[in-house]
């Protein structure tokens, strides 16, 4: 039987057990699952290589744990409720048994195309049920899915397909997003001009727009499923066989292919889902993320389905056709737990209380947030107006690399404090280190957030680049997983995430590497160099501010024109989410004599803070700072 913590003392008890004997704790959590063979070792690890192995030698298939294990009790229960972009279109409900048949059928399709265990399959799809079906089919045959958010450009898509050497791409003709449509297939076509590894492209029809199908390569989903059997036996995998790759941005270079494996991720997402959200059988769970991000992987698909939940998938956006869309969906489908990002809350809050006050939303029991720090004002609005003062809020801190939630209240159990992620979940051992790597013990301390012991859901490597995995996460502080976040532990031992301490910015809950944006800006023919920093943005949390040095600037050159074309360039190279909010054209960047850009100055100026610049005597040309300040004030 699934174990669920019910009280605060129960939480402390479980937490204690998980620290005193982590192996025993997690092997107990793993017991409810269906293993074809029990594991040889529960945990083998060191953070030096690093090597992290959970349940090694254990044999299983994750989809057998969603379907075969639960089908007798849940076959007629709804697994996925799908709400379309347009509220006039019908929603769709798939029961566990219907979803099972579709997954088995599509597994057979992939097998018939020669996809084998370990092959990579790229998914570039809008939020339609086939996205979940395709990912589960990959998991069933042991193929590694790599889902690419359908808002990324063709260049970003191509980079990811090439890095993973994907054999198959699954996409749609187009996609709906509010009032807009996205030409998915033509973006895929453009990307594939550069990708040699791809043999077949499967297209699910969604918008019905005109697209071209390349003969021999492109296949319609509906055609290839025609008449295919729904009988399929799952591939038996090792617990440490890869489940998926998901690309995320880092402070340097190209996006990293974070790799998660099967057994540990299964145990961890399911455990955290049930406990954090206090999901009860029959509840309807609505996570508004896109499956293209880790939140969607873990808390729309895997965590909920492994726990026998009913999970809601929403194709559209919160503000279309109007700002009450989330609230309509909550009422229409009687949602019990709602999980969204602070940026969405702030955007809706800015549009006034009318929409939310019209709705009673009596079904709601729990609210959650994820992706970025939530400011107190947004927290209170969410609590008072959406939760009507009766729903606990879980502010869940985690990352693509952590696989699941690490620090969070348990809904209704852990007393909350606005803007605090509160306490670590069982199995999670956070430590706070100063910049020299010294652990700051006790309460009321602030520093770098690290985790000192492995948990089953953590990433195992970066696809094809274990050295970078080691360098990024395990080299800053010895024998620690370094999160890249700053944190404060207050007088009650509660954790408050302060934001990134590296060159990563968090825009609307999406992680962006400043170097990645700079590289895209630098592609512009007029740009000599650039520096990108984050600045406080009322809705997005952080906005993107770019300082750009251009060549041949004279009085007749239109800065406006260049700024516009830089924005278009970034949009085309990465995607709309990376488009700078502000661009300032300057004649030079503040650099130290060793050539390093003094970013802290640029961050201050971007935040309209023109005081206390500290020591700038190491700058090559301190005059540059004056110019930047003046120009910035003039804007
Ligand atoms: C970064 C991870 C985890 C899924 C969504 C983002 C920030 C995440 C919180 C939170 C404050 C948060 C951190 C983290 N972050 N959740 N509750 N409070 N900050 O995943 O793209 O991998 O980004 O998001 O800075 O490092 P991601």
């Amino acid at each position: 039987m699934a174990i669920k913590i019910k009280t605060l003392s129960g939480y402390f008890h479980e937490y204690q057990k998980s620290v005193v004997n982590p192996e025993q704790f997690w092997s107990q959590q793993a017991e409810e699952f269906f293993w074809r063979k029990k594991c040889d070792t529960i945990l083998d690890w060191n953070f030096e290589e690093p090597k992290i192995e959970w349940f090694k030698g254990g044999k299983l298939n994750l989809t057998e744990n969603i379907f075969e294990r639960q089908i007798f009790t849940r076959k007629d229960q709804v697994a996925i409720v799908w709400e379309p972009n347009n509220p006039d279109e019908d929603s769709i409900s798939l029961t566990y048994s219907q979803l099972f048949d579709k997954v088995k059928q599509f597994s057979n399709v992939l097998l018939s195309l020669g996809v084998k265990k370990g092959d990579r399959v790229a998914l570039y799809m809008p939020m339609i049920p086939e996205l979940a079906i395709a990912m589960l089919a990959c998991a069933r045959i042991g193929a590694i899915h790599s889902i690419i958010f359908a808002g990324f450009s063709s260049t970003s898509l191509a980079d990811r397909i090439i890095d993973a050497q994907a054999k198959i791409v699954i996409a749609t003709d187009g996609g709906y997003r509010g009032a807009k449509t996205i030409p998915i297939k033509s973006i895929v076509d453009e990307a594939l001009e550069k990708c040699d590894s791809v043999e077949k492209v499967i297209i699910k029809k969604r918008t019905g727009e005109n697209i071209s199908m390349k003969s021999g390569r492109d296949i319609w989903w509906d055609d290839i499923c025609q008449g295919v059997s729904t009988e399929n036996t799952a591939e038996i995998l090792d617990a440490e066989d890869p489940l998926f790759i998901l690309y995320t941005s880092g402070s340097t270079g190209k996006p990293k292919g974070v790799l998660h494996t099967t057994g540990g991720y299964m145990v961890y997402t399911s455990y955290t889902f049930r406990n954090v959200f206090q999901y009860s059988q029959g509840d309807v769970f609505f996570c508004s993320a896109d499956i293209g991000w880790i939140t969607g992987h873990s808390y729309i698909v895997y965590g909920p389905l492994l726990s026998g939940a009913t999970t809601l998938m929403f194709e559209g956006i919160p503000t279309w056709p109007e700002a009450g869309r989330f609230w309509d969906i909550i009422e229409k489908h009687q949602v019990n737990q709602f999980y969204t990002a602070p940026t969405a809350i702030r955007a809706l809050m800015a549009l006034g209380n009318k929409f939310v006050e019209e709705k009673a939303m009596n079904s709601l029991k729990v609210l959650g947030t994820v992706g970025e720090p939530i400011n107190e004002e947004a927290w209170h609005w969410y609590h008072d107006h959406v939760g009507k003062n009766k729903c606990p809020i879980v502010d869940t801190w985690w990352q693509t690399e952590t696989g699941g939630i690490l620090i969070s209240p348990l809904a209704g159990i852990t007393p909350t404090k606005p803007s605090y992620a509160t306490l670590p979940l069982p199995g999670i051992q956070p430590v706070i280190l100063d910049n020299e790597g010294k652990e700051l013990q006790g309460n009321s301390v602030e520093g770098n957030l690290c985790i000192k012991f492995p948990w089953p859901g953590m990433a195992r490597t970066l696809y094809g680049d274990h050295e970078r995995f080691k360098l990024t996460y395990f080299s800053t502080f010895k024998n620690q997983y370094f999160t890249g976040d700053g944190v404060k532990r207050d007088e009650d031992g509660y954790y408050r995430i302060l934001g990134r301490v590296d060159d990563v910015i968090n825009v609307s809950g999406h992680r962006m590497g400043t170097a990645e944006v700079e590289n895209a800006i630098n592609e512009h023919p007029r740009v000599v160099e650039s520096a990108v920093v984050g600045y406080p943005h009322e809705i997005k949390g952080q906005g993107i501010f770019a300082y750009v040095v251009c060549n041949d600037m004279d009085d007749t050159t239109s800065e406006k024109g260049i700024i516009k074309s830089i924005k278009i360039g970034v949009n085309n190279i990465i995607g709309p989410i990376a488009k700078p909010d502000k661009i300032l054209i300057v004649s030079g960047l503040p650099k130290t004599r060793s050539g390093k850009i003094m970013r802290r100055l640029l961050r201050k100026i971007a935040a309209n803070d023109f005081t206390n610049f500290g020591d700038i005597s190491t700058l090559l040309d301190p005059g540059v700072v004056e110019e930047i300040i003046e120009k910035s004030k003039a804007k």
Side-chain angles (χ1 to χ4, degrees):
M1 228 348 247
I3 307 162
K4 203 164 93 183
I5 297 167
K6 296 267 164 47
T7 60
L8 191 58
S9 61
Y11 158 74
F12 286 119
H13 182 71
E14 290 299 304
Y15 187 80
Q16 209 46 37
K17 276 200 320 197
S18 78
V19 173
V20 172
N21 194 339
E23 279 94 337
Q24 190 183 27
F25 176 83
W26 286 115
S27 84
Q28 263 171 16
Q29 308 309 323
E31 260 166 31
E32 71 185 75
F33 293 100
F34 172 46
W35 300 83
R36 291 282 182 156
K37 175 185 164 286
K38 290 261 179 271
C39 66
D40 306 320
T41 24
I42 296 164
L43 171 65
D44 188 6
W45 73 289
N46 70 70
F47 277 174
E48 260 148 39
E49 291 175 59
K51 169 163 131 183
I52 302 127
E53 288 177 350
W54 282 94
F55 313 117
K56 181 90 174 165
K59 302 290 175 201
L60 77 160
N61 185 286
L62 190 150
T63 71
E64 283 196 335
N65 279 283
I66 293 177
F67 298 114
E68 278 91 335
R69 181 179 63 109
Q70 305 188 99
I71 204 72
F72 295 111
T73 46
R74 311 216 186 283
K75 79 180 184 317
D76 298 324
Q77 186 199 311
V78 175
I80 296 180
V81 186
W82 176 73
E83 173 67 22
N85 180 59
N86 185 336
D88 295 335
E89 196 182 328
D90 289 336
S91 50
I92 293 175
S93 292
L94 291 173
T95 63
Y96 271 82
S97 113
Q98 289 165 333
L99 180 63
F100 189 19
D101 281 348
K102 287 182 186 290
V103 168
K104 284 184 291 185
Q105 184 180 57
F106 199 68
S107 299
N108 289 333
V109 165
L110 292 176
L111 290 172
S112 74
L113 294 175
V115 185
K116 297 182 304 296
K117 177 182 163 187
D119 286 345
R120 278 79 54 215
V121 176
L123 276 57
Y124 186 70
M125 300 171 83
M127 286 281 286
I128 57 172
E130 284 74 13
L131 171 53
I133 293 164
M135 69 197 280
L136 292 168
C138 288
R140 191 159 178 92
I141 67 168
I144 306 170
H145 59 69
S146 166
I147 305 183
I148 297 119
F149 173 61
F152 277 117
S153 68
S154 66
T155 316
S156 295
L157 174 60
D159 286 347
R160 287 158 175 76
I161 292 174
I162 293 168
D163 188 78
Q165 287 292 293
K167 196 165 164 180
I168 304 276
V169 174
I170 306 172
T172 58
D173 49 354
Y176 296 118
R177 221 182 132 69
K180 289 191 214 145
T181 55
I182 309 168
I184 303 268
K185 177 62 164 66
S186 61
I187 298 171
V188 170
D189 287 338
E190 209 178 304
L192 290 192
E193 284 170 21
K194 294 179 256 174
C195 307
D196 300 331
S197 60
V198 176
E199 293 167 11
K200 297 282 177 214
V201 178
I202 304 174
I203 299 293
K204 173 69 195 175
K205 187 167 172 175
R206 175 65 186 117
T207 55
E209 63 199 81
N210 240 331
I211 57 166
S212 66
M213 294 289 275
K214 187 169 168 182
S215 83
R217 186 193 73 182
D218 301 350
I219 314 160
W220 286 104
W221 174 296
D222 289 344
D223 290 351
I224 197 167
C225 287
Q226 197 70 44
V228 173
S229 161
T230 55
E231 293 303 310
N232 172 278
T233 311
E235 177 84 22
I236 303 307
L237 305 175
D238 191 279
E240 281 300 337
D241 280 335
L243 177 64
F244 65 84
I245 302 169
L246 182 58
Y247 286 86
T248 188
S249 295
S251 50
T252 54
K254 285 204 306 189
K256 312 173 279 200
V258 173
L259 186 116
H260 284 284
T261 57
T262 305
Y265 178 84
M266 170 182 82
V267 172
Y268 197 72
T269 52
S270 157
Y271 177 81
T272 51
F273 170 71
R274 269 182 274 122
N275 282 290
V276 170
F277 299 102
Q278 291 290 301
Y279 182 87
S280 299
Q281 282 317 312
D283 286 349
V284 177
F285 181 81
F286 174 18
C287 165
S288 77
D290 191 287
I291 292 177
W293 310 111
I294 191 69
T295 308
H297 281 62
S298 301
Y299 299 109
I300 296 178
V301 180
Y302 288 118
L305 295 180
L306 284 161
S307 303
T310 299
T311 182
L312 194 148
M313 234 179 121
F314 173 42
E315 184 185 27
I317 58 170
T319 48
W320 192 82
E322 52 179 28
R325 189 67 197 278
F326 277 165
W327 326 134
D328 288 340
I329 295 173
I330 290 169
E331 293 226 308
K332 177 173 170 192
H333 298 289
Q334 291 292 293
V335 168
N336 303 103
Q337 289 90 7
F338 177 56
Y339 190 29
T340 196
T343 188
I345 298 168
R346 288 190 296 264
L348 296 173
M349 183 170 82
L351 295 170
N353 296 344
K354 171 176 165 283
F355 294 101
V356 68
E357 263 158 19
E358 281 169 357
K359 307 287 170 187
M361 296 187 277
N362 284 324
S363 57
L364 276 181
K365 295 193 280 194
V366 172
L367 299 175
T369 74
V370 60
E372 47 175 329
I374 180 162
N375 49 312
E376 291 201 26
E377 195 192 352
W379 194 98
H380 284 294
W381 188 82
Y382 198 32
H383 185 262
D384 298 353
H385 296 279
V386 181
K388 317 286 181 197
N389 283 308
K390 65 175 174 50
C391 302
I393 295 181
V394 290
D395 176 352
T396 65
W397 172 83
W398 57 299
Q399 312 177 295
T400 304
E401 296 85 345
T402 70
I405 299 164
L406 298 198
I407 304 182
S408 169
L410 305 180
I413 293 173
T414 316
T416 57
K417 252 190 228 184
S419 80
Y420 280 79
T422 75
L423 298 170
L425 297 186
I428 305 307
Q429 302 186 34
V431 290
I432 302 181
L433 304 183
D434 69 12
N435 288 342
E436 278 65 55
K438 193 173 108 258
E439 183 174 346
L440 304 173
Q441 309 262 3
N443 292 342
S444 305
V445 291
E446 204 176 297
N448 300 295
L449 175 59
C450 292
I451 317 287
K452 72 170 178 203
F453 196 87
W455 63 99
M458 75 186 295
R460 303 299 195 256
T461 192
L462 295 178
Y463 187 75
D465 200 348
H466 197 66
E467 203 42 45
R468 189 171 175 204
F469 184 60
K470 176 179 174 170
L471 199 70
T472 313
Y473 308 103
F474 301 91
S475 304
T476 318
F477 302 107
K478 197 170 157 50
N479 285 324
Q480 301 283 352
Y481 166 77
F482 175 44
T483 64
D485 279 317
V487 72
K488 165 181 152 182
R489 189 165 50 218
D490 77 354
E491 60 285 359
D492 299 323
Y494 268 33
Y495 290 85
R496 178 186 187 152
I497 308 299
L498 303 171
R500 303 290 305 194
V501 294
D502 52 9
D503 288 325
V504 168
I505 48 186
N506 192 323
V507 187
S508 302
H510 299 313
R511 209 200 293 191
M512 281 309 320
T514 51
E516 215 182 321
V517 183
E518 287 162 11
N519 290 341
I521 292 174
N522 297 349
E523 299 255 318
H524 190 280
R526 293 290 299 278
V527 172
V528 179
E529 61 175 346
S530 61
V532 166
V533 296
Y535 72 97
H537 186 289
E538 220 164 279
I539 305 286
K540 298 179 175 185
Q542 279 190 300
I544 302 178
F545 195 119
Y547 297 87
V548 181
V549 181
C550 293
N551 56 23
D552 301 329
M553 292 301 288
D554 54 43
D555 295 345
T556 59
T557 317
S558 148
E559 285 197 2
K560 257 202 181 131
I562 295 182
I563 289 173
K564 197 170 160 210
S565 63
I566 291 175
K567 285 188 181 176
I568 294 172
V570 175
N571 185 70
N572 292 342
I573 294 169
I574 306 177
I577 50 175
K579 205 159 70 180
D581 298 278
K582 292 185 184 171
I583 295 180
L584 194 68
I585 302 206
V586 294
S587 66
L589 298 172
K591 288 188 185 167
T592 61
R593 282 183 203 110
S594 58
K596 221 173 136 350
I597 296 170
M598 221 183 241
R599 284 174 188 275
R600 70 175 173 84
L601 287 184
L602 297 178
R603 280 190 212 109
K604 266 177 104 68
I605 296 170
N608 276 330
D609 174 2
F610 304 109
T611 54
N612 296 328
F613 282 116
D615 183 12
I616 56 168
S617 63
T618 55
L619 283 182
L620 199 59
D621 175 10
V624 169
V625 182
E626 281 308 311
E627 185 217 313
I628 296 179
I629 292 174
E630 243 154 65
K631 189 137 192 203
S632 174
K633 279 183 176 164
K635 285 264 151 176

